[in-house]
Amino acid sequence: MSDQLTEPPSPDQGLVAEGIARFVPPGFPAEALRPSFATVGQVRASEALPDGWHVHPSWSRSSDAFEAYISIESDTSLYGTGEVAGRLLRNGTVTEVWAKQPFRIEADGTVVPNYDDRSPSLYQAHPWVLVVRADGTAFGVIGDTTHRLTIDLRQGITLRSSVPFAVLIIEGDSPQHVLSRLGDLTGTMELPPVWSLGYQQSRFSYYPDERVRELARELRSRRIPCDVIWIDIHYMDAYKVFTFDSERFPDPKATNRFLHDHGFRSVWILDPAVKAEPGYSVYDDGVQGGHFVRDHEGQEYRAATWPGDAAFPDYTRPATRTWWKDRSVEFLDNEMDGLWIDLNEPSPILPPGSEVPETVQHEGGGGIPAGSHARYHNVYGMLMAQATHEAMKEARPDRRPFVLTRSNYLGGQRFAATWTGDNVASWDHLKWSVPMVLNLGLSGQPFSGPDIGGFAGLPSPELFAHWIGVGAFFPFSRTHTSLKESQEPWSFGPQVEAIARASLGRRYKLLPYLYTVFREAASSGLPVMRPVFFADPTDLRLRSEDRAFLLGDDLLVLPQLSKEEAHDFCLPKGRWRPVTLPGEDLDASPAHPALRIREGSIIPVGPGGQTADEAMTGPLTLLVSLDREGHAGGTVYEDGGDGYGYQGGDYLLTRYSAEVTEGRLVISIEAEEGARSRPEREVRVEWITDPE
C-alpha cells in the first residue's frame, strides 16, 4: 500500500537545460539527493518548466519504498535499461538496477556463469529508459540514484527504490535527439585508438608467455586479421594484482615488445581485490593508506576471491583512486597497451553468487559523502574505471587510453568500453547478444560487444561460425573463452577458419567507415550499432526488430542468429540495396550476414589487412548508392589513429557527394574540415545499383 505524495513540489525542481528537466519528490530538497554520478557535474534547475511540458512523474511512498510513476500512451515503445538479456523492446519487463554476477549451479554441483532473458540484473547499472512515442518523438528517463532501483515497465514506467531519488527527463523530437542530449548530460566516450576497433583474441588464459608468442605467430601465419592479444589472470603471482609469475611471465616487457614487433597490441587484466597477505607490498600499502572498505563494525572487510582472502579498495576515497592510479601507472611501465578490469561489481568468487554485504562502509571524500555499500555498490566499477582511465592518461599522455570494464554505471562510457560478461556457448546467447549491445548503445554506451563464441562451454563449429560472422560487426569484437576450451578461429577446422578469416576481412575493409561512425558516437553520443527503427522512428513495424541492425545510418546488417534456414526480418522502407565489399570472396555459408546499403549514401571502404593500421591506409573505395533523385552523400573521418592531435585540428573530415551527369557518375568533395593533409592515394568508386 502506498500513499501519493501531494505536498507542494520542491522549488529545486525545474528546467536544467533546454529540453532537460529535474524532478524531486515533494518534501526532499534537491541538495539532499546529491551527488549525481551519472551526470557531468552537478546539474541544477535554473528556471521553471515551460508551458506545454508534458512529462511529469507522480510520486508515492510506502513503508519501504519511494516510487516515481510516468504514464505512457498506446503504441509507445520502451528501450534502454542498460545491460539486459532478452529482446530489444523492454515493454512489459522488470529490471533491477543492481550490478550482479549471475551464476547457474548444475545438478552435479558445477557452477556456470550464466544469465537468461528472465535475469532482472546483470553486471552493469543503467537507471535509464528511452521512450519512443507512436509519432517518433521521444523522451528519456533517468532514475538519478546509485541505490538499488527497480524499473517496472509493465504498465507505464515505475521507478522504485528504498530511498528518495531525483528523476531527470530529456525531451526530444526523435530518439536520436534524446540520445544526443543524454550524451550532453552524462558525457560521451572518448575517441578510441583505431587499433581497439580491430579484432581481438582472448582466453582465460593464454599462458605461459611462450604460449602468447605462439598464438601471435599462428595468427600471422594463418593470415587471420587481428590487432590485440589479451592476457588474463594467470600472468599473476598467485593471482595477486600488480604482480607477475616469475616462471610463467618472467619478463612481461619483453612479451609486450614481441607482440609489438609482430603488429599486435596487448591488454592485461586487473582485478580490484587485493590478497590480504602481510608482506605483499600492495596489501601493506593499502592497509597503511586506509584504502580498503570496512564492515559495519569498522574492521577491514574481506572475501574469498582468486588470490584467496582479499580486501577491496574503497574507490569513493580520492586518496584510494590516486593510489590505484599510481599502482596502475607503475604496472603500465611494462608496455602493455590497454587495461581490462574485471570482477568489479564487486564480486567475490566464493561462495558462487555471493555479494559484498550492503552494510560494508565507504569513507568517501572530495564531494562524495560517507555511506554504505548499499549506496555505492552500483558505482564501484565506474569509480575503478575512472581511476584506471586516469592512470592510462598519466602513463601515456600522448596516446588515447583503452580500458575495458565488466561493471559500470550510467555515464561510465566516459572512462571505459565494456563487454557483456560471462556468456554461454549457446544459440540463445548468440541471439541475445544483438539486442543486448543495442540496448547498451541506447543507454549511452556505444563501445561494447559479447564474448564471441561464448565464455562458458564449447560451441559447435556451426555456432562459432555464425557468432564470428556477426561478431565481426559488433563495436567491440573479441573472442574469449574459459580455461577449459579453445576458440581460436582454426580450432573448429579449416572450413570454419576460412569463414572466420573472411568475416574478419569484412570488418577490416569497413574500418574507414566504422572509425567514422565511432567519431560520430564520440562527438554526439549516438550508438555505433543502432536499432533498425532508427531508419524511421515513425514506422511502428520496426520497433521490435532485434536481429537485424544498423552500423551508423547507412549499413544494414542481416545476420542469422539461430539454426533456422532464414529469418523474416522487418526492414525499413526505401531502397536498401544488397552490397558486396570490394575484393571479398565469400562462400555460401549462412554464417555471413547479408549487407545492405541505404539509398542516398556513400560508404568508405579500405583495402583491409592484418591490422587496423594497414586497413586505414592504401586505396579508398567509395560505395555509392543513389537515391531516387540520383544523389548520394557520405562522410569520411581521418586522423592519426591515436594521440590527441585531432583535438588541435590534425584531422580531415571529408563530405563526398555523388550525382549522375549525362549518364556518368560524378563524385565531388562537397565540404572538408580539419588541418590534416589529404593523403596521396587512389580513390576508387563502386556504383551500387538495384539487383537485376
Side-chain angles (χ1 to χ4, degrees):
M1 191 72 179
S2 60
D3 298 318
Q4 291 290 121
L5 294 178
T6 57
E7 303 172 35
S10 168
D12 297 316
Q13 70 181 26
L15 207 63
V16 167
E18 183 179 356
I20 303 176
R22 187 169 193 258
F23 299 88
V24 297
F28 293 90
E31 290 301 323
L33 305 181
R34 299 187 194 279
S36 173
F37 281 80
T39 61
V40 178
Q42 299 305 308
V43 298
R44 286 174 170 79
S46 57
E47 56 185 275
L49 294 175
D51 294 338
W53 185 276
H54 297 295
V55 183
H56 296 258
S58 60
W59 299 93
S60 60
R61 181 178 184 178
S62 64
S63 60
D64 60 354
F66 289 82
E67 288 188 0
Y69 173 74
I70 298 169
S71 62
I72 59 174
E73 301 166 352
S74 61
D75 290 327
T76 295
S77 304
L78 305 176
Y79 304 96
T81 69
E83 184 185 49
V84 285
R87 55 199 175 97
L88 174 67
L89 198 65
R90 302 305 297 160
N91 296 63
T93 65
V94 178
T95 301
E96 187 176 45
V97 182
W98 188 252
K100 184 178 178 66
Q101 174 173 256
F103 281 93
R104 181 183 76 238
I105 301 178
E106 302 285 1
D108 63 359
T110 302
V111 178
V112 180
N114 192 26
Y115 53 78
D116 60 26
D117 57 351
R118 297 163 296 179
S119 301
S121 59
L122 289 175
Y123 307 90
Q124 309 222 3
H126 290 78
W128 160 258
V129 183
L130 174 65
V131 185
V132 186
R133 302 182 181 97
D135 64 359
T137 64
F139 67 93
V141 182
I142 298 175
D144 196 10
T145 179
T146 57
H147 285 80
R148 190 189 301 261
L149 181 80
T150 299
I151 301 176
D152 188 336
L153 304 180
R154 291 175 293 186
Q155 295 182 357
I157 302 168
T158 300
L159 308 179
R160 185 181 305 110
S161 182
S162 62
V163 298
F165 55 93
V167 169
L168 291 163
I169 305 290
I170 305 173
E171 272 282 3
D173 55 20
S174 68
Q176 293 93 323
H177 183 202
V178 170
L179 289 175
S180 180
R181 297 312 310 278
L182 178 68
D184 294 338
L185 193 62
T186 67
T188 60
M189 72 169 181
E190 290 188 343
L191 184 63
V194 71
W195 59 261
S196 67
L197 308 191
Y199 174 67
Q200 318 196 21
Q201 187 70 42
S202 182
R203 182 174 184 260
F204 172 65
S205 294
Y206 288 119
Y207 70 94
D209 56 357
E210 180 52 37
R211 177 70 183 95
V212 175
R213 290 178 169 85
E214 176 187 302
L215 174 68
R217 296 187 195 101
E218 192 82 354
L219 284 161
R220 290 291 177 251
S221 68
R222 292 176 180 268
R223 306 292 294 170
I224 305 291
C226 184
D227 270 88
V228 189
I229 291 177
W230 291 64
I231 315 296
D232 212 320
I233 61 173
H234 292 91
Y235 76 84
M236 300 179 189
D237 174 18
Y239 306 127
K240 292 184 287 190
V241 68
F242 299 122
T243 69
F244 299 94
D245 186 291
S246 60
E247 294 185 2
R248 291 175 176 172
F249 285 85
D251 191 346
K253 185 178 292 187
T255 300
N256 286 320
R257 289 180 176 175
F258 176 90
L259 293 176
H260 296 158
D261 289 344
H262 287 74
F264 293 97
R265 268 73 173 195
S266 70
V267 180
W268 297 55
I269 198 168
L270 295 174
D271 288 344
V274 177
K275 183 174 179 61
E277 178 181 270
Y280 164 39
S281 65
V282 179
Y283 177 71
D284 291 344
D285 287 351
V287 171
Q288 183 176 357
H291 295 310
F292 299 129
V293 296
R294 298 183 177 277
D295 64 23
H296 65 285
E297 295 179 345
Q299 302 300 308
E300 180 182 286
Y301 168 75
R302 297 180 183 178
T305 67
W306 286 113
D309 211 25
F312 290 78
D314 182 359
Y315 295 112
T316 67
R317 301 176 73 242
T320 300
R321 294 197 300 277
T322 298
W323 168 73
W324 183 268
K325 180 198 69 175
D326 291 344
R327 281 284 183 173
S328 299
V329 167
E330 180 182 349
F331 181 75
L332 287 164
D333 188 53
N334 292 284
E335 301 185 14
M336 50 281 292
D337 301 280
L339 294 176
W340 169 20
I341 52 178
D342 191 17
L343 294 173
N344 55 343
E345 293 74 31
S347 291
I349 295 296
L350 296 173
S354 60
E355 299 182 37
V356 173
E358 295 183 30
T359 55
V360 161
Q361 296 299 301
H362 294 263
E363 185 177 312
I368 299 178
S372 69
H373 196 64
R375 181 172 188 174
Y376 293 119
H377 171 87
N378 275 339
V379 291
Y380 191 91
M382 183 173 81
L383 290 171
M384 182 187 182
Q386 179 184 0
T388 308
H389 177 265
E390 290 173 357
M392 292 216 69
K393 298 195 82 164
E394 182 173 311
R396 316 279 172 72
D398 58 343
R399 291 161 59 184
R400 302 174 202 167
F402 178 76
V403 178
L404 186 83
T405 184
R406 189 169 80 173
S407 186
N408 215 339
Y409 181 76
L410 181 66
Q413 67 273 358
R414 304 192 298 270
F415 311 120
T418 196
W419 90 105
T420 59
D422 293 344
N423 58 359
V424 171
S426 73
W427 287 94
D428 276 343
H429 278 235
L430 168 61
K431 178 179 67 177
W432 293 331
S433 65
V434 169
M436 184 175 287
V437 173
L438 288 173
N439 268 321
L440 277 166
L442 296 179
S443 302
Q445 174 53 278
F447 202 176
S448 71
D451 285 343
I452 293 173
F455 174 75
L458 183 66
S460 67
E462 181 186 15
L463 175 56
F464 182 82
H466 281 257
W467 213 322
I468 202 162
V470 67
F473 297 95
F474 284 123
F476 177 63
S477 183
R478 182 188 74 161
T479 293
H480 183 55
T481 188
S482 67
L483 186 62
K484 297 179 181 179
E485 315 299 349
S486 292
Q487 283 194 37
E488 294 76 40
W490 53 86
S491 301
F492 302 92
Q495 182 179 4
V496 174
E497 179 184 347
I499 289 171
R501 184 182 297 107
S503 297
L504 298 174
R506 302 177 95 189
R507 181 181 186 87
Y508 278 69
K509 288 178 182 293
L510 282 167
L511 275 184
Y513 175 69
L514 192 60
Y515 192 48
T516 301
V517 177
F518 263 87
R519 187 261 181 183
E520 181 187 16
S523 302
S524 70
L526 290 177
V528 170
M529 181 169 156
R530 302 171 184 177
V532 171
F533 75 79
F534 266 35
D536 183 0
T538 66
D539 188 344
L540 298 180
R541 298 178 309 112
L542 305 178
R543 297 288 182 86
S544 60
E545 174 56 60
D546 57 9
R547 296 187 178 188
F549 59 88
L550 295 166
L551 280 180
D553 283 337
D554 298 331
L555 189 66
L556 182 62
V557 182
L558 307 176
Q560 182 168 318
L561 303 177
S562 63
K563 291 184 177 181
E564 291 97 48
E565 289 279 327
H567 295 319
D568 184 16
F569 297 108
C570 186
L571 301 182
K573 298 174 183 175
R575 287 193 181 100
W576 289 83
R577 296 183 172 100
V579 62
T580 299
L581 301 181
E584 72 177 8
D585 183 20
L586 303 180
D587 61 22
S589 170
H592 294 301
L595 302 181
R596 297 194 182 186
I597 183 174
R598 182 181 64 82
E599 63 174 326
S601 67
I602 298 176
I603 288 179
V605 178
Q610 293 297 292
T611 67
D613 289 340
E614 289 181 11
M616 297 296 286
T617 58
L620 185 71
T621 301
L622 303 178
L623 305 180
V624 179
S625 178
L626 299 175
D627 63 18
R628 295 175 189 275
E629 286 71 44
H631 298 93
T635 301
V636 182
Y637 174 77
E638 301 168 88
D639 64 16
D642 204 346
Y644 295 95
Y646 72 96
Q647 294 181 348
D650 183 20
Y651 68 91
L652 180 62
L653 185 68
T654 306
R655 173 71 182 178
Y656 290 97
S657 64
E659 62 180 353
V660 175
T661 302
E662 298 179 352
R664 296 172 61 245
L665 182 65
V666 177
I667 307 294
S668 59
I669 294 176
E670 182 179 300
E672 61 180 79
E673 179 184 304
R676 190 174 183 85
S677 298
R678 186 169 301 281
E680 294 186 7
R681 65 180 171 209
E682 181 182 2
V683 177
R684 304 165 181 169
V685 176
E686 289 199 11
W687 186 351
I688 309 301
T689 58
D690 295 317
E692 296 181 359

